[in-house]
Amino acid sequence: MSSPHMVVDSPPSTSTVDKKKPVCIITIGMAGAGKSTFVQRINSYLHSSDPNKPPYILNLDPAVAFVPYEANIDIRDTVNYPEVMKQYNLGPNGGILTALNLFTTKFDQVLELVEKRAEDVDYVILDTPGQIEIFTWSASGAIITDAVASSLPTVVAYIIDTPRTTAPATFMSNMLYACSILYKTKLPFILVFNKTDVQSHQFALDWMADFEEFQSALASHEGTRDSEGEPTYMNSLMNSMCLVLDEFYKNLKAVGVSSVTGDGVKDFFEAVDASREEYEREYLPELEKARKHREKTLKEAKDDSMNRLLNDLTIDRAKNPQGLSSEQWDPELEEEDDDTEINIIDRSEEPYPGEYVDVTRARRHEDENIRWPRPA
Ligand SMILES: Nc1nc2c(ncn2[C@@H]2O[C@H](COP(=O)(O)OP(=O)(O)OP(=O)(O)O)[C@@H](O)[C@H]2O)c(=O)[nH]1
């Protein structure tokens, strides 16, 4: 039986490629798994490891009332989530998704700010919205992930609520979800079993290392047999699924962490360093290939449109030779690019002004350039 790479023992990376580039850690996890607490914990770990190199943190959850760390860029400074719900007549989840979409339209500015700091920081950390699917299955989540991963070595930290994952069925659904994210992003992936102060993650490591262990846990778990003692459909499904997932576990690193006590945080950073190498070895060449392919298809499409345009112009001129003199391009008449105003605020760059630019309102013509006081 194959043994998954789970607890990471490898030393921190000595790679010189992209040495100056910080590693971006995207934290993803089910609501309440402890993402924000985890970000706070790794933030304080990095602050104490090297006070001169604190991480650069982005909060992408527009609906969070309180974040236990100081974000450098906070989506709430740019998008007013309650206002989004009101203006677009949306419920809470639609509001979060739309707020994230609006923020994503300005993500080029975020990348610029991050790139400006790239030499001063070792880690960029993204805290994502509580409702996991809003980030993992939305276009904006994919755009943000791709944008970050194209410019920085990036790793996904999938936060798991360990005490709530001890039932085989819950464990399996959590792993399937993680699997879907891994195959969607194709990025180096770390399973972070959080809350180990309450429940050790050893059971999960055992299940991942040996599917027979998982199957026997499944067999002994209540509700997996029907009234006649036969395995239920769910039981049979999970028995087969664990064989499939065995392959998936080989592509993962897993660490146990307590965001409350700080236990395991060092292991997490060792896994991050190993993931950086993985990114350089596997993800970067793929990215380069995809970029070249995209450039080639784009060039072919452009050449094709240009040829068709030239053909059309030749026909038009042949039909109407006088028209040429009246069709001159006047750059003065070009519309001004309305994207030049700055919307994204780096709190660490300028002292927090107590105001923020609200793109939801600023998008309304009459309200352009209005700065709204941030709600208390
Ligand atoms: N015992 C224990 N509790 C934790 C740990 N990490 C987080 N919690 C608790 O879990 C709860 C949820 O933590 P959050 O950090 O808000 O979780 P989140 O994933 O950011 O939550 P959403 O933003 O709602 O998705 C809080 O009550 C935390 O105090 C941990 O390592 N151990």
Side-chain angles (χ1 to χ4, degrees):
M1 193 173 309
S2 47
S3 165
H5 307 204
M6 286 186 301
V7 180
V8 179
D9 299 322
S10 50
S13 161
T14 52
S15 163
T16 51
V17 186
D18 281 345
K19 199 161 189 180
K20 284 196 175 125
K21 284 196 172 183
V23 179
C24 178
I25 302 168
I26 304 181
T27 55
I28 293 177
M30 303 284 178
K35 294 178 292 298
S36 304
T37 317
F38 175 73
V39 170
Q40 163 53 13
R41 171 54 64 187
I42 58 175
N43 179 30
S44 73
Y45 174 87
L46 292 171
H47 268 274
S48 52
S49 310
D50 185 351
N52 297 321
K53 286 228 162 174
Y56 195 81
I57 309 183
L58 278 72
N59 170 40
L60 299 182
D61 189 347
V64 69
F66 166 76
V67 278
Y69 49 82
E70 275 190 37
N72 296 76
I73 296 178
D74 194 320
I75 185 173
R76 295 173 302 164
D77 292 338
T78 311
V79 187
N80 183 341
Y81 163 68
E83 194 58 39
V84 170
M85 286 206 292
K86 215 158 52 182
Q87 281 194 21
Y88 295 85
N89 210 9
L90 295 166
N93 287 338
I96 298 174
L97 181 60
T98 307
L100 192 65
N101 288 342
L102 289 168
F103 184 75
T104 306
T105 63
K106 301 284 172 189
F107 205 73
D108 54 326
Q109 293 179 28
V110 175
L111 278 183
E112 268 170 35
L113 289 169
V114 172
E115 273 162 17
K116 244 167 70 184
R117 294 297 199 86
E119 293 204 5
D120 307 328
V121 299
D122 286 337
Y123 297 96
V124 174
I125 303 168
L126 263 67
D127 191 6
T128 58
Q131 280 70 9
I132 187 168
E133 67 282 6
I134 288 177
F135 191 78
T136 52
W137 295 110
S138 67
S140 34
I143 291 169
I144 291 174
T145 307
D146 286 353
V148 175
S150 315
S151 65
L152 298 177
T154 303
V155 45
V156 173
Y158 184 76
I159 317 296
I160 298 167
D161 189 332
T162 315
R164 286 176 187 249
T165 314
T166 50
T170 323
F171 176 79
M172 170 85 26
S173 34
N174 224 327
M175 290 301 116
L176 285 172
Y177 207 98
C179 183
S180 69
I181 299 170
L182 172 73
Y183 286 105
K184 191 167 190 292
T185 61
K186 299 189 183 69
L187 285 168
F189 206 89
I190 305 172
L191 291 178
V192 180
F193 287 96
N194 191 28
K195 310 192 185 180
T196 52
D197 54 300
V198 178
Q199 165 73 53
S200 157
H201 67 303
Q202 191 55 46
F203 74 92
L205 297 182
D206 294 343
W207 289 351
M208 289 163 70
D210 182 352
F211 66 84
E212 284 170 353
E213 288 257 353
F214 177 79
Q215 286 176 329
S216 62
L218 192 61
S220 59
H221 203 263
E222 269 177 46
T224 51
R225 301 206 167 246
D226 62 21
S227 52
E228 283 154 26
E230 291 298 312
T232 57
Y233 168 73
M234 201 54 191
N235 189 333
S236 313
L237 178 69
M238 283 194 285
N239 258 317
S240 328
M241 291 304 295
C242 71
L243 300 178
V244 178
L245 284 178
D246 200 42
E247 193 56 35
F248 157 71
Y249 296 145
K250 288 179 200 151
N251 295 313
L252 303 177
K253 299 172 185 67
V255 290
V257 163
S258 166
S259 302
V260 167
T261 65
D263 210 30
V265 173
K266 192 166 172 285
D267 296 341
F268 171 74
F269 278 103
E270 285 174 1
V272 171
D273 283 337
S275 300
R276 181 196 183 105
E277 287 181 353
E278 192 187 320
Y279 169 91
E280 287 161 0
R281 198 177 53 241
E282 290 168 23
Y283 185 80
L284 260 191
E286 283 299 314
L287 188 74
E288 204 45 45
K289 235 190 323 189
R291 190 179 289 152
K292 280 196 181 130
H293 178 72
R294 217 171 29 242
E295 276 169 12
K296 187 168 167 274
T297 17
L298 202 67
K299 185 174 178 319
E300 282 168 1
K302 269 189 191 162
D303 288 350
D304 181 50
S305 325
M306 186 53 88
N307 286 340
R308 277 190 281 144
L309 177 71
L310 289 175
N311 279 343
D312 289 351
L313 282 176
T314 320
I315 296 167
D316 279 357
R317 281 178 195 164
K319 281 188 191 158
N320 177 20
Q322 294 88 352
L324 185 64
S325 56
S326 60
E327 281 177 18
Q328 296 291 329
W329 172 61
D330 182 355
E332 298 286 309
L333 295 177
E334 279 285 289
E335 271 188 32
E336 270 191 25
D337 182 3
D338 68 352
D339 215 30
T340 46
E341 55 176 309
I342 303 292
N343 294 119
I344 303 292
I345 296 164
D346 180 334
R347 292 179 172 194
S348 44
E349 205 161 72
E350 299 162 28
Y352 182 50
E355 292 183 68
Y356 73 138
V357 177
D358 180 341
V359 286
T360 46
R361 290 193 185 225
R363 282 180 166 255
R364 294 167 66 196
H365 190 64
E366 70 276 17
D367 288 343
E368 223 139 29
N369 299 325
I370 288 184
R371 282 168 180 256
W372 297 84
R374 188 158 182 243

